Every structure is written in C-alpha cells, then in structure tokens.
Amino acid sequence: GVISRIVRTLQERPCELVNITSFDGLTLWGRYYHVKDGAPLDIGFHGYRSSCFNDFAGGSQMSFDMGHNLLLVDQRAHGKSQGKTITFGIKERMDLKNWVEYAVKRFGSDVQIMLYGVSMGGATVLMASDLDLPENVKGIVADCPYSSAMDIILHVGRTNPIPKWLMKPFVILGAKVYGGFDVQETDAYRAVKNAKIPILIIHGEADSFVPAEMSNLTLYNPYMVKRLTIPGAEHGISYLVDTPRYQKAVRDFAESI
C-alpha cells in the first residue's frame, strides 16, 4: 500500500554510502542524500531492530521538501553497521556525537544540523541532548521516544509474571555481562532536564509499544521542550495518521530554530 510505496521511493533515491568509526572502534554506516550545497542537514536515527527506510519513509520527504540535505544512519548492530549489542540509546548517543562531528568536518563549521529520531532513535536523540555537542546542532525532533532503557525493557516484559522490582537487578546485570553497558548510565529525564537545545517531541496517543506518557517530558525543561500528540496514532505512524499536523509542527519547529 501507501507505506511500501513511500519506502520504495526512498530506497530508489540516489545516495552516497558513508561511514565513520565509533568511539569504541566499530564501523558505522549511513546514507547521505544531497539536495543542495550549503543547506541545513537533518540526521536521522531509526528505531530498535528497524531501518532508516521503515522509519524515515515519510520524514525523509519532509526534509527534501524543506530543501534540507539528509543523512540517515544505520544504528550500531543494525544494517551495514558493526556491533553485536543494541544498547537502547546508551552507546548510540555517543555514536550520534561522532556522526555530528563527521558532518561538521565534512560540511563546514557553519552547517546547521537538526537531529531526528524515531522510537529508540527518538530516545537516542533525547539522551544526547545534554552532551557537549557542536553548536551546529540547532534542534532535536523525537518521534515516539521512550523515557529510559530500563522503562522500555520492563514495559516490553510486562507480561512476565516476575514483578518489576525483582526484574530490575537482572536487567542491570544482564546488560553489564552480555551487553557491556550500564543500563542506568543515562536516560531521557536526566538529559532533557539539562538540555540546551530546543526539542520537539511527537507521540501517537494510541501507541501500545511505547506508551505516550513515556515521552511527557515537557515538565523537565519547559523552556526547551515542545510536545505534540496525535490522536489515534499507533507506534511510529503519527506522520501517516495526521500528515498535515505533523508536517506543520516540524516545519514550524525547523523555522524557529
């Protein structure tokens, strides 16, 4: 249907395959779509076990319509990128910083950058919001993000008969032993509270995978965070459910930053 058609359009659009080395030595890949010289750059981060084609089929068209260049990355342990462990945004936020540094080096010190993430990618961009990012990053758009790695792991395992308080130590230990990361190292609450970059959060009100209340972070930093919820939208499809409202929110945000 409509989704497969817009996915195919993005897959067939000419792009340049680019790569960087992550802070821990992995080769990470991305697809760069050039619209025009000197234009703002949108960098997109897809969700858990997903791909940039699935998660940016609609959003990419918005970038192109606004005249922005676009870099869609394969998150670690996804697509062409190396890595065996998905860390729910913990290490991915450091990869994001490397991608931003790559972009500034390649496109020049005056390039304006907007970060865009969907689902786990949304959590990634939020968790990166308090990092020491180059000033080129002018804004962050997070679509259906979760609040923390722990929250989403416990929520997805909600049918488990073991109570949450008992699960927590096993999640912490499992992440350390098998994933080599600290699941409590950071979360969206902490990062957003300290963010100095404007943030737009969009969430579908009917999201059954990442409940909409997980992204209700405006109270943590009311000066920096705007939030839009889309009635009737399931996980990651707010753009398709109410395209005009979604586009207007992103365009207005992009202009304001």
Side-chain angles (χ1 to χ4, degrees), residues 9 60 75 79 99 124 135 141 156 221 241:
T9 304
S60 62
Q75 297 252 46
W99 277 114
T124 301
E135 285 181 5
V141 178
V156 171
N221 195 336
V241 170

Side-chain angles (χ1 to χ4, degrees), residues 72-214:
L72 295 178
V73 310
D74 283 352
Q75 297 252 46
R76 59 173 54 219
H78 290 81
K80 280 171 66 75
S81 290
Q82 289 182 335
K84 289 188 169 60
T85 309
I86 299 168
T87 70
F88 298 92
I90 305 284
K91 288 186 179 176
E92 288 82 357
R93 81 193 202 282
M94 307 308 294
D95 300 337
L96 176 153
K97 189 168 190 254
N98 294 147
W99 277 114
V100 170
E101 286 160 354
Y102 159 83
V104 173
K105 200 171 170 185
R106 173 167 174 176
F107 300 109
S109 58
D110 57 351
V111 64
Q112 296 188 71
I113 296 170
M114 187 158 85
L115 304 176
Y116 196 167
V118 177
S119 193
M120 185 184 85
T124 301
V125 295
L126 290 182
M127 288 182 203
S129 66
D130 68 340
L131 294 179
D132 187 19
L133 298 172
E135 285 181 5
N136 306 71
V137 178
K138 302 299 181 191
I140 288 172
V141 178
D143 185 332
C144 59
Y146 48 78
S147 39
S148 75
M150 181 66 82
D151 286 350
I152 194 63
I153 292 166
L154 293 177
H155 175 73
V156 171
R158 64 192 178 280
T159 51
N160 196 314
I162 302 166
K164 280 186 179 181
W165 63 269
L166 203 53
M167 279 284 293
K168 267 189 172 181
F170 291 104
V171 172
I172 294 164
L173 187 65
K176 275 212 168 80
V177 173
Y178 299 107
F181 71 103
D182 176 3
V183 78
Q184 295 180 302
E185 187 178 310
T186 190
D187 55 47
Y189 303 111
R190 264 180 282 178
V192 166
K193 198 174 175 186
N194 299 310
K196 294 182 177 60
I197 303 164
I199 295 167
L200 171 65
I201 297 173
I202 302 172
H203 214 132
E205 291 174 18
D207 194 329
S208 58
F209 186 66
V210 178
E213 59 265 24
M214 272 201 193

Side-chain angles (χ1 to χ4, degrees), residues 218-231:
T218 36
L219 294 172
Y220 290 86
N221 195 336
Y223 301 106
M224 285 296 162
V225 184
K226 288 190 178 80
R227 185 166 175 266
L228 168 74
T229 62
I230 305 288

Side-chain angles (χ1 to χ4, degrees), residues 26-71:
L26 303 175
T27 302
L28 305 176
W29 288 86
R31 292 169 176 80
Y32 172 65
Y33 299 86
H34 188 74
V35 175
K36 62 181 181 199
D37 292 351
L41 175 71
D42 296 344
I43 309 180
F45 299 83
H46 64 74
Y48 180 79
R49 299 245 168 109
S50 190
S51 75
C52 63
F53 297 123
N54 281 344
D55 292 354
F56 290 98
S60 62
Q61 195 51 55
M62 209 163 40
S63 293
F64 302 142
D65 289 346
M66 288 192 291
H68 294 185
N69 296 322
L70 179 65
L71 172 61

